[in-house]
């Protein structure tokens, strides 16, 4: 919530022959990002009460011009920030590519405990490999050639996965990184030499750092989702995914997330629409 307070109308200084300058009037209003129109209504109610601005014949044109100028500034700055972010990401990528790799295919990174994801945005481990999309995780468990389905034991619970062959220690047995939807999960044999398991994520807008807790983790900042898969999503989900990806990149670069950018943009737009108001003491919450 943004609270704008202690706003002063500085208006033009009156001449010696004009009437005394009116005393500054305080404006206090609670700002809710989900109801911007309601906030603006309060602003205009305040202006109507304290001045004759809304009675001017050209008021519609002036307000439209202010809004258009503010919008142009917002998109121009957003484009500049995106360009800076892109260049910084490219620099980080180039720097990472130049760093030598450690034994076992593990790249040197700021956090040595994080690994670079495989092409499927998961990880290749000694006993199994896994990949993921934002909606599901796929696990491939190699088994001796000729293994039949009836020899497989696969338990997929909400927060736990256990996979192995009957009469042998489990190959995977642990708590999943995040909860799944057991009813939407399934497994099958692939060429009688591997078990393929598809896990439907309960939270379908988040990347997993590992399949099972306690196993090596990937750097989710280096996840590269397939654009074709994102384009298949419905518009609302796609916007949410793109926002999530944008916020992840911003966080990695030490830059503000989309919500903070939106708050700053709305404050600047309000300032542009009310150039005579002193917003030096405005607080963003």
């Amino acid at each position: 919530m943004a609270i704008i307070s202690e706003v002063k109308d500085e208006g033009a200084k009156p001449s010696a022959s004009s009437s005394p300058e009116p005393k500054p009037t305080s404006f206090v209003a609670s700002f809710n990002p989900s109801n911007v129109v309601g906030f603006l209504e309060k602003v205009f109610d305040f202006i109507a009460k304290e001045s004759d601005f809304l009675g001017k014949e050209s008021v519609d044109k002036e307000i439209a011009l202010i809004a258009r100028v503010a919008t142009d500034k917002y998109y121009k700055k957003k484009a500049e920030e995106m360009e800076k972010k892109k260049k910084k990401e490219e620099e980080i990528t180039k720097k990472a590519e130049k760093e030598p790799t450690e034994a076992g295919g593990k790249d040197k990174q700021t956090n040595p405990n994080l690994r670079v994801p495989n092409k499927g945005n998961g990880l290749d481990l000694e006993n199994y490999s896994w990949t993921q999309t934002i909606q599901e995780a796929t696990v491939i468990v190699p088994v001796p050639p000729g293994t039949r389905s009836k020899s497989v034991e696969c338990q997929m619970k909400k927060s736990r996965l256990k996979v192995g062959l009957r009469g042998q220690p489990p190959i995977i047995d642990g708590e999943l990184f995040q909860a799944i939807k057991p009813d939407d999960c399934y497994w099958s044999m692939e060429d009688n030499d591997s078990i393929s398991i598809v896990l439907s994520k309960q939270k379908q807008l988040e990347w997993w750092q590992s399949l099972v807790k306690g196993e090596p983790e990937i750097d989710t900042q280096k996840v590269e989702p397939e654009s074709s898969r994102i384009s298949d999503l419905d518009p609302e989900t796609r916007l949410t995914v793109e926002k999530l990806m944008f916020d992840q990149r911003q966080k990695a670069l030490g830059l503000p997330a989309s919500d903070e950018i939106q708050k700053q943009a709305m404050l600047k737009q309000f300032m542009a629409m009310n150039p005579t108001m002193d917003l030096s003491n405005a607080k963003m919450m």
Side-chain angles (χ1 to χ4, degrees):
M1 177 178 290
I3 303 297
I4 299 182
S5 61
E6 300 181 18
V7 181
K8 301 176 182 179
D9 189 343
E10 294 183 341
K13 294 183 178 180
S15 62
S17 59
S18 63
S19 59
E21 179 182 359
K23 295 181 179 180
T25 305
S26 297
F27 173 72
V28 180
S30 298
F31 176 71
N32 185 347
S34 64
N35 186 20
V36 178
V37 174
F39 177 77
L40 291 177
E41 288 177 348
K42 292 180 180 180
V43 172
F44 286 114
D45 286 344
F46 175 79
I47 293 174
K49 179 180 178 182
E50 301 296 333
S51 73
D52 297 328
F53 175 74
L54 297 181
K56 296 172 59 177
E57 293 183 0
S58 61
V59 65
D60 291 344
K61 293 182 179 179
E62 291 187 34
I63 293 177
L65 177 60
I66 292 172
R68 185 163 62 251
V69 170
T71 301
D72 290 344
K73 288 181 178 179
Y74 167 71
Y75 283 110
K76 181 179 179 181
K77 184 169 183 180
K78 189 172 182 180
E80 292 175 348
E81 290 175 346
M82 291 295 288
E83 183 63 26
K84 290 180 180 179
K85 171 192 65 73
K86 183 178 179 181
K87 290 181 179 179
K88 194 165 184 178
E89 286 181 338
E90 291 175 350
E91 292 175 358
I92 293 175
T93 300
K94 290 179 180 179
K95 183 178 179 181
E97 290 175 347
K98 291 180 180 180
E99 293 180 349
T101 58
E102 298 178 349
K106 183 178 177 182
D107 287 352
K108 285 187 176 180
Q109 305 172 68
T110 302
N111 187 339
N113 296 321
L114 298 181
R115 297 189 181 184
V116 174
N118 58 24
K119 292 183 179 180
N121 298 317
L123 203 58
D124 299 323
L125 300 172
E126 183 178 356
N127 296 326
Y128 70 92
S129 65
W130 66 282
T131 59
Q132 67 175 320
T133 65
I134 59 170
Q135 298 167 316
E136 60 188 28
T138 300
V139 190
I140 300 297
V141 183
V143 293
T147 298
R148 306 296 294 273
S149 298
K150 62 181 181 180
S151 301
V152 175
E153 288 188 340
C154 184
Q155 298 178 10
M156 297 173 285
K157 298 182 179 180
K158 181 178 179 181
S159 301
R160 194 171 189 86
L161 175 65
K162 183 178 181 180
V163 186
L165 301 178
R166 296 182 186 279
Q168 300 182 26
I171 300 172
I172 302 175
D173 185 9
E175 182 181 357
L176 292 167
F177 183 77
Q178 284 189 0
I180 60 173
K181 302 176 182 178
D183 293 340
D184 295 334
C185 301
Y186 60 90
W187 69 270
S188 62
M189 289 295 301
E190 299 290 337
D191 299 325
N192 290 329
D193 63 3
S194 63
I195 306 170
S196 176
I197 307 166
V198 177
L199 305 175
S200 178
K201 296 178 179 179
Q202 191 170 91
K203 295 181 179 179
Q204 299 196 336
L205 295 177
E206 295 184 16
W207 297 108
W208 287 10
Q209 289 181 275
S210 66
L211 178 72
V212 176
K213 292 182 179 180
E215 294 283 3
E217 297 184 347
I218 65 170
D219 184 352
T220 55
Q221 303 298 337
K222 295 187 177 181
V223 164
E224 296 181 358
E226 298 180 21
S227 58
S228 59
R229 295 301 299 271
I230 294 180
S231 63
D232 292 339
L233 301 174
D234 62 86
E236 183 177 356
T237 303
R238 180 176 179 179
L239 287 174
T240 303
V241 173
E242 291 176 343
K243 177 180 180 297
L244 173 65
M245 294 169 59
F246 175 78
D247 288 345
Q248 286 182 331
R249 290 194 294 267
Q250 291 291 95
K251 182 179 179 181
L253 298 173
L255 299 174
S258 54
D259 290 341
E260 183 63 27
I261 293 175
Q262 183 182 20
K263 290 179 182 178
Q264 294 175 359
M266 287 188 288
L267 178 59
K268 290 181 180 180
Q269 184 175 359
F270 178 77
M271 292 171 65
M273 294 175 64
N274 301 273
T276 61
M277 289 187 177
D278 178 13
L279 299 179
S280 58
N281 293 318
K283 300 178 181 178
M284 298 296 293
M285 299 179 62

